[in-house]
Amino acid sequence: MTSHRVEADAVVVLTATGRMKIQVLGPEIMRVVQTRRDGFESAESLMILPAPATAPDVSEVDGGLLVSTPALRLRIDALSGAFTWTDSSGRLLVREPHDGAETRTLEEIDVHRPLRAADAHVTNVQGADGPKAVTDSVPRVVDRTAYSTTLRLELSEGEAIYGLGQHEEGILNYRGHQQYLYQQNMKVAAPVIVSTAGYGIFWDSCAFASFSDGPDGTRFWTEADDELDYYFILGPEIDAIVGRIRTLTGQVPPLPRWALGYFQSKEHYASQEELVGIAREHRRRNIPLDCVVQDWKSWTGQLWGQKSFDPVRYPDPGRLCADLHALNTRLMVSVWPNMHNDGPDQVEMRERGHLLGNDATYDAFSADARKLYWKQADEGYFRFGVDAWWADCTEPFEADWNGTVKPDAATRARVNTDEGKKYLDAEHVNAYSLMHTRGLYEGQRGADPHRRPVVLTRSGCPGQQRYGAVTWSGDVTATWATLRAQIADGLNFCMTGNPRWSCDIGGFFVDRGEQWFWRGDFPDGCDDLGYRELYVRWLQFAAFLPMFRSHGTDTPREPWRFGDTGDTAYETILAFIRLRYRLLPYLYTLQGWEAHRGYTGMRALAFDFRGDRAVYDIDDQLMIGPALMICPVTEPMYFGPGSTPVTAATRTRQVYLPAGCDWYDFWTGERHTGGRTIDAAAPLEHLPIFVRAGSILPLGPVIPHADAAVEAPMEIRVYPGADGRFDLYDDAGDGFGYEQGEFTYTSLRWTDGEARFRIEANTGAGTGIPVHRDFRPVVVSTHGGLGSSELATAGPTVRYTGRPVSHLLR
């Protein structure tokens, strides 16, 4: 460090190898930019929203420079330039190694720009997820120089590191692990780490990257960036860290209420008649349903990716949507960024110059191309009444989704990113999904400002949450090990900014094929009692996720495929679908908190129990909101593949109850002391669920669809043992009035010492939301307020009319 100067929006520090810029974006957020050039770049970030920056306070101290805000301090060593981050009290957060070696390095590289060459040789390859247009080589020219960057860190003993997106290995705590960050089927790259030490780091990089933590230290590397550019975020609680990530990258719009209901899907429904028939059968069987999903091949013949219905199999799209809507069912359709065989959409994109170098994938980084893509989707689907978008293959370039042997991690990273860089700028290779989702969201909002877009994507990127995106985990296999891995994968994804994650219930691939990824354990599908057990356990877990969707290939997925009335598997599937609908007031409230308070509904245990180190590595339990701890069953207890009986199974699973509170068994009302491990009963009919003492849990009645009128009082379960509060959220259920304050919070409170239940005045201006409600509070014990059943006996009804009211519950 040679000198520094304070400017209006930054302090600039000069070093022997270049310059650094340090900015403040709030008391708990500092931005660090480093370059070897004479000036800093001004290009707009794809992930970070524009926001005013200020200069931190700067003072010279013995041996270095102290850069600070009221909450956060950065000390820069004068000799080595190494950073030490602390909070305002001096508590160490993290530091760079003070070993004399460079801790932040920038290695100059050439960045090539791919050309759209008319004479490029394109080969069409048929893969497991459709045709791909690939080229052996795309002409490229050197566009500019950039840097391969590395940041070294020195972590503390016992510190857990989460984040990095969603990857398929089921790693929760990345201490002692390495991970490559690139987009691929079953992978989502998010350059974010979140630490139990109370801080997070967000790299503003959409390039191929990697994280490693091992005997030689901790490193974060990016392949191609104009600068080293990252944000250091103080929590200390994980909620605060993730909330501040959204301050940088955008808030989360709530989904429409119906999108929290049950989605029925498979690969694939093949006609208008079949789609409507599926909805009718759900209604006939009194199975709640909100959406049916049209997977790929809604188009004519081989016109892959064409955004229109085949007129033979879907002769009247308007009638299709009207018939489904009359059944109170929505329609989601699959749309793809790649187009083949000279369909009208592909030809139009080509004529406008909007196709990338493979002449098949549209350029989502072009605003004009995104507008044209939306116009095609509107004309082919939306104008008929289609309700939601399944944006499949949002990581459109791949090179390893073939072969019988799974390549090692380094090889997969290299071949997939090399394939992507044939067509995309290396600096933006991880951002395709972000831009594609943006086009769908902005297109629908422009076409219909009264309906919230619902976009399901197979990949993600920080910032994508601001476009209403839900990301699912890709084409995973039907094995017990995969089910367990999904839990950690989803939890880490939700710690990088987007709280909306889901998965294919039952796994996508059920059979065992020749390719390395097609390795399900159940070739007999839903006729195999072993698969029925796995499917039930998967559905029990998914019933609490942000999107509740059954999907996959090789075998049907409708509930009645797993038995019929009286069969345990069938009855359990129905029971958990109905439980999902009972939980809608709770789950919809979590969405409101996410939109307005920076909350995260799907939570690793460290969100709520960071002070209990025993939770840091628990990768098979999770919190859904402040009340519910979900403990999925991830091993067979009844049958293995081939309907082979499992012998000597205990039909229990170990559950750790975090310290600091008592816990109630959701099914029995039994109360347990926290800070210990118990054996929880886990028959097929029950998923172990525990509720934190002091919780207030709102439950609605079982309804056929999420927007059904509800006249019965709302059941309010109170779990005694601590004071509690729950701010019940409501809005119109669709549209964007919530952006103008058209929502309400009704504060439900429990004073444990007095056994008093109170309802306090609404806040907000919820136009069209009822001012009065009837509530039926019940204090949970072994005698009442149990499981998924509704209250069987009459109890006190508390009428709320907008004024505070209280009631003693003894």
Side-chain angles (χ1 to χ4, degrees):
M1 186 171 63
T2 58
S3 65
H4 73 276
R5 68 175 185 273
V6 178
E7 301 179 346
D9 65 347
V11 56
V12 176
V13 180
L14 302 181
T15 72
T17 57
R19 64 189 62 229
M20 292 184 294
K21 176 171 65 176
I22 302 168
Q23 297 177 304
V24 172
L25 288 95
E28 300 87 3
I29 305 175
M30 283 195 203
R31 180 189 183 195
V32 177
V33 184
Q34 184 165 333
T35 182
R36 290 167 55 185
R37 299 190 180 101
D38 292 335
F40 298 100
E41 295 294 327
S42 58
E44 185 175 296
S45 171
L46 298 181
M47 296 188 293
I48 305 291
L49 296 176
T54 60
D57 292 332
V58 180
S59 58
E60 296 185 21
V61 295
D62 185 29
L65 203 64
L66 184 64
V67 182
S68 59
T69 74
L72 184 60
R73 293 178 181 175
L74 167 61
R75 184 185 178 101
I76 307 174
D77 185 81
L79 294 179
S80 67
F83 285 8
T84 299
W85 297 92
T86 69
D87 64 17
S88 59
S89 70
R91 181 180 66 87
L92 176 66
L93 299 168
V94 69
R95 69 179 202 163
E96 298 171 353
H98 287 55
D99 56 9
E102 282 191 84
T103 58
R104 300 172 307 282
T105 58
L106 292 84
E107 179 182 352
E108 194 169 89
I109 62 168
D110 289 333
V111 176
H112 293 83
R113 175 167 52 87
L115 303 177
R116 295 185 180 91
D119 58 351
H121 178 66
V122 177
T123 301
N124 290 311
V125 178
Q126 184 66 35
D129 60 349
K132 301 290 181 185
V134 299
T135 64
D136 294 331
S137 62
V138 175
R140 301 191 301 170
V141 297
V142 175
D143 184 63
R144 64 190 184 280
T145 59
Y147 299 108
S148 172
T149 78
T150 301
L151 174 65
R152 293 198 299 142
L153 297 170
E154 189 175 278
L155 304 181
S156 302
E157 183 178 355
E159 175 183 356
I161 295 293
Y162 307 122
L164 300 179
Q166 171 230 287
H167 306 277
E168 60 195 277
E169 296 89 355
I171 300 169
L172 179 65
N173 180 2
Y174 274 100
R175 293 304 303 272
H177 291 281
Q178 193 271 343
Q179 187 59 264
Y180 294 105
L181 274 64
Y182 62 96
Q183 310 289 25
Q184 181 53 295
N185 196 327
M186 303 188 294
K187 286 182 74 70
V188 175
V192 179
I193 61 172
V194 174
S195 169
T196 55
Y199 68 90
I201 303 178
F202 185 114
W203 283 265
D204 189 3
S205 173
C206 297
F208 171 42
S210 71
F211 170 89
S212 62
D213 178 63
D216 61 344
T218 306
R219 287 177 168 80
F220 194 91
W221 168 86
T222 71
E223 183 180 54
D225 282 300
D226 289 333
E227 300 163 318
L228 171 61
D229 188 350
Y230 68 90
Y231 294 78
F232 192 93
I233 304 167
L234 173 67
E237 299 305 327
I238 295 177
D239 263 319
I241 297 168
V242 178
R244 287 168 188 141
I245 289 171
R246 291 194 212 128
T247 297
L248 294 171
T249 61
Q251 300 303 324
V252 185
L255 296 171
R257 196 187 318 273
W258 67 261
L260 271 67
Y262 176 59
F263 284 58
Q264 184 64 67
S265 181
K266 72 171 186 177
E267 193 274 304
H268 70 278
Y269 298 119
S271 70
Q272 178 169 339
E273 181 181 13
E274 187 178 15
L275 282 166
V276 176
I278 289 296
R280 286 183 176 141
E281 185 64 12
H282 279 80
R283 297 295 176 230
R284 186 184 75 81
R285 291 174 176 261
N286 294 318
I287 303 173
L289 175 72
D290 267 278
C291 187
V292 292
V293 183
Q294 176 60 58
D295 196 1
W296 58 13
K297 301 182 183 179
S298 61
W299 46 77
T300 299
Q302 300 302 310
L303 299 184
W304 191 278
Q306 173 67 21
K307 294 179 284 300
S308 58
F309 287 107
D310 173 22
V312 175
R313 293 177 294 120
Y314 309 88
D316 189 343
R319 171 57 58 187
L320 166 63
C321 294
D323 287 347
L324 288 173
H325 293 165
L327 292 164
N328 295 300
T329 304
R330 265 70 173 197
L331 177 63
M332 170 183 274
V333 296
S334 168
V335 293
W336 293 63
N338 51 314
M339 295 152 265
H340 299 270
N341 298 314
D342 293 332
D345 287 355
Q346 183 182 18
V347 171
E348 186 177 25
M349 283 284 182
R350 182 188 297 135
E351 290 175 348
R352 301 278 189 92
H354 292 325
L355 294 179
L356 295 171
N358 65 354
D359 194 44
T361 306
Y362 92 104
D363 183 4
F365 293 88
S366 162
D368 288 341
R370 292 195 301 271
K371 290 177 182 177
L372 178 58
Y373 189 94
W374 168 256
K375 181 184 80 72
Q376 294 172 348
D378 185 18
E379 292 175 351
Y381 292 130
F382 191 66
R383 69 186 177 97
F384 295 112
V386 166
D387 301 280
W389 309 103
W390 181 0
D392 209 338
C393 201
T394 49
E395 65 306 279
F397 306 111
E398 65 185 29
D400 72 335
W401 206 238
N402 52 59
T404 59
V405 178
K406 183 177 182 178
D408 64 83
T411 299
R412 291 189 69 199
R414 177 179 55 79
V415 299
N416 282 302
T417 54
D418 284 351
E419 183 68 21
K421 287 183 292 184
K422 289 180 182 178
Y423 316 106
L424 302 175
D425 190 307
E427 194 169 346
H428 298 150
V429 73
N430 281 340
Y432 190 94
S433 183
L434 172 65
M435 306 310 292
H436 180 46
T437 306
R438 175 181 178 178
L440 287 168
Y441 180 84
E442 292 180 344
Q444 181 175 323
R445 278 205 70 164
D448 187 345
H450 305 294
R451 294 163 62 188
R452 299 174 192 168
V454 177
V455 185
L456 178 65
T457 70
R458 200 175 71 182
S459 191
C461 179
Q464 197 164 299
Q465 75 278 354
R466 63 184 181 252
Y467 303 126
V470 182
T471 294
W472 99 96
S473 59
D475 298 340
V476 299
T477 57
T479 70
W480 287 97
T482 301
L483 171 57
R484 175 160 183 150
Q486 292 287 279
I487 303 167
D489 291 345
L491 293 174
N492 269 325
F493 175 89
C494 290
M495 277 191 270
T496 61
N498 190 345
R500 308 273 168 75
W501 179 90
S502 188
C503 56
D504 289 346
I505 296 173
F508 183 76
F509 295 114
V510 176
D511 199 352
R512 181 168 288 266
E514 294 183 358
Q515 296 99 326
W516 63 263
F517 49 84
W518 204 316
R519 294 294 169 88
D521 283 343
F522 304 94
D524 293 330
C526 57
D527 293 327
D528 187 331
L529 297 179
Y531 181 63
R532 291 189 181 190
E533 182 180 349
L534 173 65
Y535 184 88
V536 168
R537 295 305 197 186
W538 210 311
L539 182 135
Q540 288 173 334
F541 163 56
F544 299 89
L545 297 179
M547 181 172 280
F548 184 30
R549 182 185 62 104
S550 177
H551 180 68
T553 192
D554 297 328
T555 193
R557 303 300 172 107
E558 297 82 23
W560 51 90
R561 311 296 186 179
F562 297 87
D564 210 330
T565 304
D567 293 334
T568 302
Y570 175 77
E571 295 291 353
T572 304
I573 289 169
L574 266 59
F576 274 82
I577 293 175
R578 289 166 179 159
L579 175 58
R580 169 71 171 209
Y581 281 78
R582 292 216 66 202
L583 286 167
L584 285 178
Y586 181 74
L587 297 175
Y588 197 70
T589 290
L590 301 185
Q591 274 216 130
W593 294 359
E594 289 168 349
H596 298 286
R597 297 180 174 181
Y599 190 75
T600 300
M602 181 177 174
R603 308 159 69 78
L605 298 185
F607 269 93
D608 296 277
F609 306 101
R610 188 171 64 92
D612 183 356
R613 292 197 172 194
V615 309
Y616 287 3
D617 294 304
I618 294 179
D619 58 7
D620 62 348
Q621 298 175 208
L622 66 154
M623 295 295 296
I624 297 296
L628 300 177
M629 184 169 66
I630 311 302
C631 309
V633 175
T634 59
E635 58 184 26
M637 295 179 178
Y638 296 84
F639 295 98
S643 301
T644 304
V646 173
T647 59
T650 63
R651 296 175 186 171
T652 64
R653 66 146 289 177
Q654 287 195 332
V655 169
Y656 177 72
L657 303 173
C661 62
D662 286 354
W663 293 89
Y664 285 84
D665 186 311
F666 177 76
W667 305 104
T668 68
E670 183 180 0
R671 184 169 169 176
H672 301 271
T673 303
R676 62 195 182 102
T677 299
I678 65 169
D679 288 323
L684 188 63
E685 299 89 337
H686 286 175
L687 171 75
I689 303 171
F690 290 86
V691 188
R692 181 164 33 177
S695 295
I696 298 174
L697 181 64
L699 295 171
V702 176
I703 50 178
H705 59 93
D707 285 331
V710 176
E711 296 181 1
M714 184 181 295
E715 181 182 340
I716 306 295
R717 292 188 184 174
V718 175
Y719 293 81
D723 292 346
R725 173 175 176 170
F726 189 83
D727 292 337
L728 183 68
Y729 175 84
D730 203 2
D731 61 21
D734 209 343
F736 296 91
Y738 71 90
E739 294 179 342
Q740 282 73 51
E742 294 178 7
F743 60 89
T744 63
Y745 284 115
T746 303
S747 183
L748 311 178
R749 299 198 177 205
W750 168 252
T751 305
D752 198 60
E754 300 177 12
R756 183 176 294 277
F757 174 70
R758 290 182 293 153
I759 309 172
E760 298 192 346
N762 286 27
T763 59
T767 302
I769 300 171
V771 175
H772 62 84
R773 288 184 178 180
D774 288 342
F775 297 95
R776 287 188 64 192
V778 55
V779 177
V780 173
S781 70
T782 55
H783 303 292
L786 305 180
S788 57
S789 60
E790 299 182 48
L791 288 175
T793 58
T797 297
V798 179
R799 167 149 289 194
Y800 174 67
T801 60
R803 296 178 179 275
V805 61
S806 69
H807 194 86
L808 287 176
L809 300 178
R810 295 192 184 276

